[in-house]
Amino acid sequence: MSDSRPPALTLPANPNLRHLRDQAKDLLRSGSAPSLASALFETACLYGFQSWPKLKAHVLSLTLAGALKGAIDGDDLPEVRKLLSKHPELRIAPIGYGGDGPLSWAAECRGYGEPTKERLKLVEWLISSGCDVHEGGDGPLMRASLSGSRTSMMALLVSHGADVNAAWHDCFPILYAPCEVIDPTSLSWLLQHGADPDCGTASRWQRMGKAHPGTALDSLLGTYVRSSDALNESIKLLQDAGGTSKYDELGVLAAIRGDVQMVSELIHEDRSILQKRYPSLDIGTTGGRMLTLKGATLLHVAAEFGHADVARLLIDSGAGVNETALIDADGIGGQTPIFHAATQGGDRGLAVVRLLLEKGADLSVRCRIPGHYERLDEVFEGSALEYAERFPESGNQAVALLRNHPNSKDSD
């Protein structure tokens, strides 16, 4: 009997060993297997395992890992000690984000903000008992760094050797974590404790067999979160620390920050920036969509980041409200600023939508642009209203404004 057959069945998320045994007994009773040992083997093969002992070990590991996860969630140090003392292999159990391990799960403090004294004590014990502070490429510190309320946890991990300049899974610098969620408190703590704002040199990444992933400021500007005050504070933190960005082109950072005075000064110095396109801006995804600012104007940038005051200044200075982004070799692009404003999560672009409509935004413009982030190859073709309707997470007021505007009839 072959044991190399592809699995016919998939184990449930929480497999039960007794149910699997009962399944084997059903095979025996039906005559499909000559003995219980053969029925157990057949059952294991059905799920892609080479033997019953291997299937049993797998299920037990999942059961025990679930128990450990539950004990960590409850800050139940006695139960954690009991489980790890009896089953030391659980120190590398694939639990938590990315399956990095129990220490990463404990350090994340999911479900509440600031770590409790009990949680800090539990993490201290996990480290002293042999859990690796570097599991997953400093996964514990990466997960803790997602919230400024966890600086006490970050301090504990660093005191035990966690590396603020590590790369989670060899590709995601720890400093990217607070940049992704735009948390200036966590970002500031990491910088104060030696994190490199430019995330290492190209040669360092080459030694790892990787291309440089980009600086922390690149990551911050490219995140999907929209939070003006936190974003501006985080930009300043990184720049004050000497951080650089490939997106620091004329006027771009000022428009992203909503710095009306700086944008005004730049226009006075060089009016060509009103029509300038920025092919390098492969940032701007948010609200469930994959649309970026590649080939866009500063008005598109202001619309993307919700700065109505900057948008008004640009338009009043001569920027075209219906200027289109560049169209690439594949025919992707051509959107006007209102495509960006109307698809911000939670109606955060509403003020810019109102302004653009007031200034004569043409709702009949159609273009081909990237679709939903869960369908990377999807290309949308249509109007701003049709695009906004594809993303209900963007909010209802912007969609209603577009739908009820007289110009929307022209786009039907």
Side-chain angles (χ1 to χ4, degrees):
M1 186 180 298
S2 172
D3 61 357
S4 61
R5 291 169 280 180
L9 300 174
T10 302
L11 284 172
N14 298 297
N16 185 293
L17 198 58
R18 188 188 59 166
H19 291 166
L20 291 168
R21 282 185 179 277
D22 289 343
Q23 188 175 344
K25 290 176 182 177
D26 287 341
L27 290 176
L28 179 63
R29 281 193 292 268
S30 69
S32 299
S35 66
L36 180 58
S38 179
L40 292 170
F41 174 75
E42 284 287 339
T43 301
C45 289
L46 282 172
Y47 291 99
F49 291 83
Q50 295 181 343
S51 67
W52 173 257
K54 289 186 176 181
L55 173 58
K56 179 180 177 181
H58 178 75
V59 172
L60 286 175
S61 71
L62 292 178
T63 303
L64 292 169
L68 177 60
K69 189 176 181 182
I72 291 171
D73 287 343
D75 286 339
D76 190 345
L77 180 54
E79 182 63 16
V80 171
R81 282 176 172 157
K82 177 181 174 182
L83 285 166
L84 286 178
S85 298
K86 189 174 181 180
H87 304 283
E89 70 277 7
L90 288 177
R91 288 180 177 82
I92 57 171
I95 62 176
Y97 191 81
D100 284 341
L103 189 57
S104 293
W105 179 251
E108 183 171 349
C109 308
R110 182 170 292 196
Y112 54 92
E114 184 178 357
T116 62
K117 292 180 180 179
E118 291 76 15
R119 178 56 61 90
L120 292 169
K121 184 177 180 181
L122 188 152
V123 167
E124 182 93 52
W125 185 86
L126 285 173
I127 296 171
S128 66
S129 72
C131 286
D132 185 4
V133 74
H134 302 299
E135 66 184 20
D138 283 74
L141 181 59
M142 190 279 281
R143 299 308 291 176
S145 299
L146 288 168
S147 172
S149 66
R150 303 172 192 157
T151 53
S152 59
M153 181 64 73
M154 295 160 65
L156 174 60
L157 294 167
V158 169
S159 73
H160 284 279
D163 183 3
V164 296
N165 287 306
W168 178 68
H169 288 207
D170 290 332
C171 64
F172 188 89
I174 300 301
L175 207 52
Y176 274 21
C179 289
E180 179 177 345
V181 297
I182 313 186
D183 191 307
T185 300
S186 178
L187 178 61
S188 176
W189 192 96
L190 288 170
L191 291 170
Q192 290 173 21
H193 288 79
D196 177 3
D198 282 349
C199 302
T201 62
S203 59
R204 174 203 168 194
W205 286 90
Q206 286 173 355
R207 289 193 295 271
M208 297 166 58
K210 307 274 187 178
H212 195 293
T215 69
L217 189 49
D218 290 341
S219 174
L220 178 71
L221 299 176
T223 190
Y224 49 87
V225 179
R226 295 289 178 267
S227 177
S228 295
D229 290 342
L231 177 62
N232 288 348
E233 183 179 353
S234 297
I235 291 173
K236 186 175 188 305
L237 283 168
L238 288 169
Q239 289 183 319
D240 288 349
T244 61
S245 172
K246 64 182 179 181
Y247 303 119
D248 190 7
E249 296 191 55
L250 184 65
V252 171
L253 285 183
I256 289 176
R257 293 195 311 265
D259 190 336
V260 177
Q261 181 177 344
M262 177 59 71
V263 173
S264 178
E265 292 174 2
L266 291 171
I267 294 172
H268 181 73
E269 293 173 5
D270 183 1
R271 292 186 59 81
S272 70
I273 68 169
L274 293 169
Q275 286 77 41
K276 181 178 174 60
R277 304 302 200 282
Y278 297 85
S280 67
L281 295 186
D282 56 351
I283 57 175
T285 57
T286 191
R289 57 156 171 82
M290 286 299 292
L291 178 64
T292 72
L293 289 163
K294 194 171 183 178
T297 68
L298 287 184
L299 183 55
H300 288 79
V301 176
E304 177 61 47
F305 287 88
H307 296 305
D309 46 358
V310 173
R312 184 178 292 278
L313 169 64
L314 289 166
I315 295 170
D316 290 347
S317 299
V321 70
N322 292 308
E323 291 285 358
T324 57
L326 296 176
I327 299 175
D328 67 19
D330 296 318
I332 306 300
Q335 77 277 8
T336 56
I338 201 162
F339 281 80
H340 293 268
T343 51
Q344 294 297 313
D347 273 323
R348 284 186 290 272
L350 189 60
V352 181
V353 170
R354 288 194 176 108
L355 172 66
L356 295 175
L357 290 174
E358 171 196 326
K359 296 294 185 176
D362 183 357
L363 300 184
S364 69
V365 173
R366 302 179 71 81
C367 60
R368 298 179 72 244
I369 51 180
H372 201 280
Y373 81 96
E374 291 181 343
R375 299 181 288 277
L376 297 182
D377 295 329
E378 181 179 76
V379 174
F380 164 86
E381 184 169 358
S383 67
L385 172 58
E386 291 165 339
Y387 195 51
E389 288 174 332
R390 296 286 294 275
F391 303 99
E393 57 266 65
S394 298
N396 298 319
Q397 293 187 65
V399 171
L401 276 178
L402 298 186
R403 186 179 292 137
N404 296 325
H405 196 275
N407 288 350
S408 69
K409 309 306 178 186
D410 300 330
S411 64
D412 292 340

